[in-house]
């Protein structure tokens, strides 16, 4: 576990200073997801792999009465995130260093109830134990709560050379599309645990998945 934290710190120790500037050009669909989440006053919303807190700050500005939480494996990234949240005047954001597959609402965030909404924004493609991380998120979600994912899809409707270059580039940042992710997500919508919808974005460049946990 210690190695996971150190690896993430090593990766983002310098990247955190220009992360937001570079990522805005190819992490497509993030703002669409944030607009569609329909956050309500008083709800507890968690971002898993929050990075610089860019998404949480946007939510904080639009939903000042919501309780927003973020976790990331990189403590140095969270230093930048906290500074950005403070500068934005977003006191309703709470950040913690934790791994996606073993956090809990009670021990990690000292909450008495699970989250109402949990989302992964371009983080699931960087988490090797992605299945365990999604299952853990569901355990920390209220009955009737919602889970959201936006991430890279298979680019099947885009030109082959573009797909090849994109995958080569993303591999440099330890990013990949998990081949069995979609079958797994589909199974969540078929096993009676909740309702699922998956929407391709920008000709299958990315996708948005929305899952509502059954009561």
């Amino acid at each position: 576990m210690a190695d996971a934290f150190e690896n993430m710190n090593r990766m983002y120790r310098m990247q955190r200073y220009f992360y937001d500037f570079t990522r805005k050009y190819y992490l497509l669909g993030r703002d669409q997801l944030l607009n569609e989440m329909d956050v309500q006053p008083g709800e507890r919303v968690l971002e898993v792999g929050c990075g610089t807190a860019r998404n949480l700050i946007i939510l904080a500005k639009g939903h000042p009465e919501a309780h927003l939480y973020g976790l990331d494996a990189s403590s140095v990234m969270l230093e930048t995130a906290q500074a950005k949240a403070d500068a934005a005047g977003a006191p309703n954001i709470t950040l913690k260093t934790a791994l996606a597959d073993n956090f809990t609402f009670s021990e990690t965030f000292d909450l008495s109830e699970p989250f109402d909404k949990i989302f992964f924004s371009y983080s699931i493609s960087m988490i090797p134990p992605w299945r365990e991380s999604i299952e853990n998120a569901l355990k920390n979600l209220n009955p009737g709560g919602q889970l959201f994912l936006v991430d890279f899809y298979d680019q099947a409707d885009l030109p082959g050379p573009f797909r090849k270059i994109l995958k080569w580039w993303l591999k440099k940042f330890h990013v990949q599309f998990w081949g069995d992710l979609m079958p797994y997500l589909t199974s969540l919508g078929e096993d009676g645990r909740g309702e699922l919808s998956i929407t391709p974005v920008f000709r299958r460049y990315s996708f948005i998945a929305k899952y509502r946990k059954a009561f």
Side-chain angles (χ1 to χ4, degrees), residues 120-194:
F120 294 75
S121 175
Y122 283 94
S123 56
I124 208 69
S125 54
M126 296 189 66
I127 302 175
W130 60 264
R131 188 189 304 265
E132 293 84 353
S133 298
I134 293 175
E135 290 290 341
N136 189 47
L138 293 175
K139 292 177 184 176
N140 286 275
L141 193 64
N142 262 327
Q146 291 179 285
L147 175 70
F148 303 89
L149 290 85
V150 58
D151 216 309
F152 296 104
Y153 203 175
D154 57 14
Q155 296 90 46
D157 293 338
L158 293 170
F162 176 85
R163 296 200 305 270
K164 185 176 181 179
I165 292 172
L166 178 65
K167 291 178 180 179
W168 169 81
W169 172 253
L170 294 177
K171 191 173 182 180
K172 291 180 173 292
F173 299 95
H174 308 284
V175 174
Q176 69 180 86
F177 175 72
W178 309 110
D180 46 352
L181 173 61
M182 284 300 165
Y184 167 77
L185 291 177
T186 300
S187 71
L188 290 180
E190 297 174 344
D191 64 5
R193 289 195 290 171

Side-chain angles (χ1 to χ4, degrees), residues 63-79:
H63 308 280
E65 296 181 1
H67 306 292
L68 306 174
Y69 302 86
L71 68 83
D72 202 281
S74 172
S75 59
V76 296
M77 186 69 103
L78 289 186
E79 290 176 7

Side-chain angles (χ1 to χ4, degrees), residues 3 19 24 41 50 58 64 75 89 97 112 125 128 132 137 160 186 201 208:
D3 288 344
Y19 183 91
K24 69 180 180 179
C50 64
I58 291 175
S75 59
T97 304
S112 59
S125 54
E132 293 84 353
T186 300
V201 179
I208 292 176

Side-chain angles (χ1 to χ4, degrees), residues 42-53:
E43 284 191 328
R44 296 172 300 282
V45 181
L46 170 68
E47 179 175 12
V48 179
C50 64
T52 62

Side-chain angles (χ1 to χ4, degrees), residues 77-92:
M77 186 69 103
L78 289 186
E79 290 176 7
T80 298
Q82 189 63 64
K84 287 179 175 289
D86 292 342
N92 55 331

Side-chain angles (χ1 to χ4, degrees), residues 17-99:
Y17 296 113
F18 51 85
Y19 183 91
D20 287 338
F21 175 76
T22 57
R23 266 56 176 186
K24 69 180 180 179
Y25 296 107
Y26 63 89
L27 300 189
L28 308 180
R30 293 183 299 173
D31 291 340
Q32 179 179 336
L33 173 62
L34 297 179
N35 289 333
E36 294 177 359
M37 283 177 60
D38 191 27
V39 176
Q40 298 298 308
E43 284 191 328
R44 296 172 300 282
V45 181
L46 170 68
E47 179 175 12
V48 179
C50 64
T52 62
R54 179 259 189 194
N55 296 326
L56 291 172
I57 291 170
I58 291 175
L59 290 178
K61 291 178 178 179
H63 308 280
E65 296 181 1
H67 306 292
L68 306 174
Y69 302 86
L71 68 83
D72 202 281
S74 172
S75 59
V76 296
M77 186 69 103
L78 289 186
E79 290 176 7
T80 298
Q82 189 63 64
K84 287 179 175 289
D86 292 342
N92 55 331
I93 295 177
T94 300
L95 304 172
K96 296 291 183 179
T97 304
L99 295 177

